[in-house]
Amino acid sequence: MVMRYFPMAGVSLLAALALSACQSQQASPLAGVWLFGKEVQDFPGVRMIEIKAQGDGYTGTMTTDWYGPMPMKDLAVKDGVATFGIFNGNARVPVKTWTARLDGDKLHVTGEVWYGKLDNDAVRGSQADAEKRRFHLTALPPYAELKPDGLAQTPPMGWSSWNKFADHIDDKTVREIADAMVSSGLRDAGYRYINIDDGWQGQRGADGQIRPNSRFPDMKSLADYVHGKGLKLGIYSSPGPKTCAGYEGSYGHIQQDAATYAAWGIDYLKYDLCSGEAFYQSAEQIRASYQEMGQALRATGRAIVYSLCEYGRGDVGSWGRNVGGHLWRTTGDIEDKYQVMAKLGFDGNGSPQHAGPGGWNDPDMLEVGNGGMSVEEYRTHMTLWAMSAAPLLMGHDLRNMDRQTASLLENPEVIAIDQDALGIQGQAVRKEDGAEIWVKPLAGGAVALALFNRTDKPQSIEFSAKDAGLRQLATLRDLWAHQALAADTRHITLPAHGAALLKVSGNAL
Ligand code: GLA
């Protein structure tokens, strides 16, 4: 059970006493409780500001829908103007300076956090108003390590709604995607999970239970449908109060949400830090918040693959398994652009020593078939993900798939490299002049050898048996062309941004 505490409640009494002691002297008229109306921007949803005299100075809190109580950093009151900093826990955005000044009997507040701006008036409220609007913090569980549960012995394969549909996703589309997964042959090629990403959530009922929004009338019946096709259903949430797209997160409802997902028949959860980054800023806190959901999922008794999405913070690969995770994002978001995909796939796919049966580095979902890259660039995308033993979660519209897309995604020889039983994450053994040679040892002693041309001109790439860790090369097979190569082949010409994937064998060095 989560222990709740109300950190502001005790403090407010002391602060009120301090305030009344100071008031007789010269407490600023800015001190007190200030309430914002519904007209403020949804992000970050500023609801209240509290400024309290303390000693010679002031402390303050800004309460928001997304980030809960945000301390006003370095709050100073001078010449009737309060200045302070607000930080949402994301180091990519510096602390911005805010101001608050009286305008008649209102408080006019301006400032920025992340991409949200506030330039609004607040009206004075009472302590009782403040109590009602205060955000109730929950404590994190004590450190624990979860034992392996046997799931995800090879990298998870499936589809996710986000890359193509963002939050414009609904029950009908998910059912049609499940149909297309079967009719296209992708299910039988190994893709099993149909994952609804952000955008399915509605509001909580009076009992606190999360309800899907009107686009998903009946989650249980959707799960039954997907299961009836021999597929599995995934869902998405956040440890924060809001998901990245502004839907209801799981904050304060972790166990309840895990139980709800299990009751619906959910088989996979992507748990995305989003607004939780303000609450959980240190590596220990992030780990504990992911452990909390990991324990809640285990407590349901249902086999649920657990996908950690916190963009690689706090060396997630070193603890992902211990919190019950089966895959963990190592990067920011992919985009359907070669340069973004290449940055993640070549340079952001996590430490190979953390990957293996039961737990995988996740450089984000596939963009193959979305139209933003050339066929050769998508081939590079698939080759990199297969060599990296990365989860293969497609992100296009399966209902309208051309032949080329299908042949990139369904190639059984390439999928076999990704899904190899040893579960070793491949890595570069040589990088020269925009050419890279990667190696991934396979079960049975063969080796996957990938050649990449990162330049925007065709180039011939030379390789040797030594690159593959072998004394000599006895057999070479081109897995994209489905053909054997002559045993003395030692260079391949690749188009701009192109890749080749070979399976080679020979005597070990
Ligand atoms: C974050 C994640 C994405 C996606 C969106 C949904 O940006 O990294 O993969 O889930 O949130 O809002």
Side-chain angles (χ1 to χ4, degrees), residues 162 197-198 236 244-245 270 272 309 311 329 333 365:
W162 185 255
D197 204 279
D198 209 350
Y236 167 99
C244 296
K270 173 172 167 184
D272 195 349
C309 179
Y311 336 116
R329 275 271 293 276
D333 288 12
M365 304 168 290

Side-chain angles (χ1 to χ4, degrees), residues 411-441:
N411 184 324
E413 297 191 78
V414 174
I415 291 174
I417 301 301
D418 180 79
Q419 297 286 302
D420 181 75
L422 285 185
I424 296 176
Q425 179 173 327
Q427 51 190 316
V429 291
R430 209 141 58 80
K431 301 187 185 191
E432 271 163 30
D433 302 330
E436 295 200 12
I437 297 180
W438 285 46
V439 161
K440 181 183 196 293

Side-chain angles (χ1 to χ4, degrees), residues 284-331:
E284 291 72 24
Q285 288 171 324
I286 296 173
R287 184 200 177 282
S289 77
Y290 278 83
Q291 178 198 308
E292 185 177 24
M293 181 53 95
Q295 289 173 313
L297 292 174
R298 287 286 173 91
T300 68
R302 191 173 169 85
I304 299 178
V305 166
Y306 184 28
S307 157
L308 319 184
C309 179
E310 44 82 276
Y311 336 116
R313 288 187 196 172
D315 196 17
V316 61
S318 66
W319 50 259
R321 284 166 195 275
N322 296 339
V323 300
H326 302 100
L327 60 161
W328 42 84
R329 275 271 293 276
T330 53
T331 66

Side-chain angles (χ1 to χ4, degrees), residues 189 379 382-383 403-417 476-486 492 499-503:
R379 191 186 313 286
M382 267 309 274
T383 306
R403 282 232 176 143
Q404 240 159 13
T405 301
S407 69
L408 287 170
L409 291 164
E410 285 183 4
N411 184 324
E413 297 191 78
V414 174
I415 291 174
I417 301 301
L476 296 90
R477 185 169 169 79
D478 181 335
L479 304 185
W480 284 117
H482 300 292
Q483 65 184 23
L485 299 177
I492 292 183
L501 180 54
L502 312 181
K503 184 172 175 180

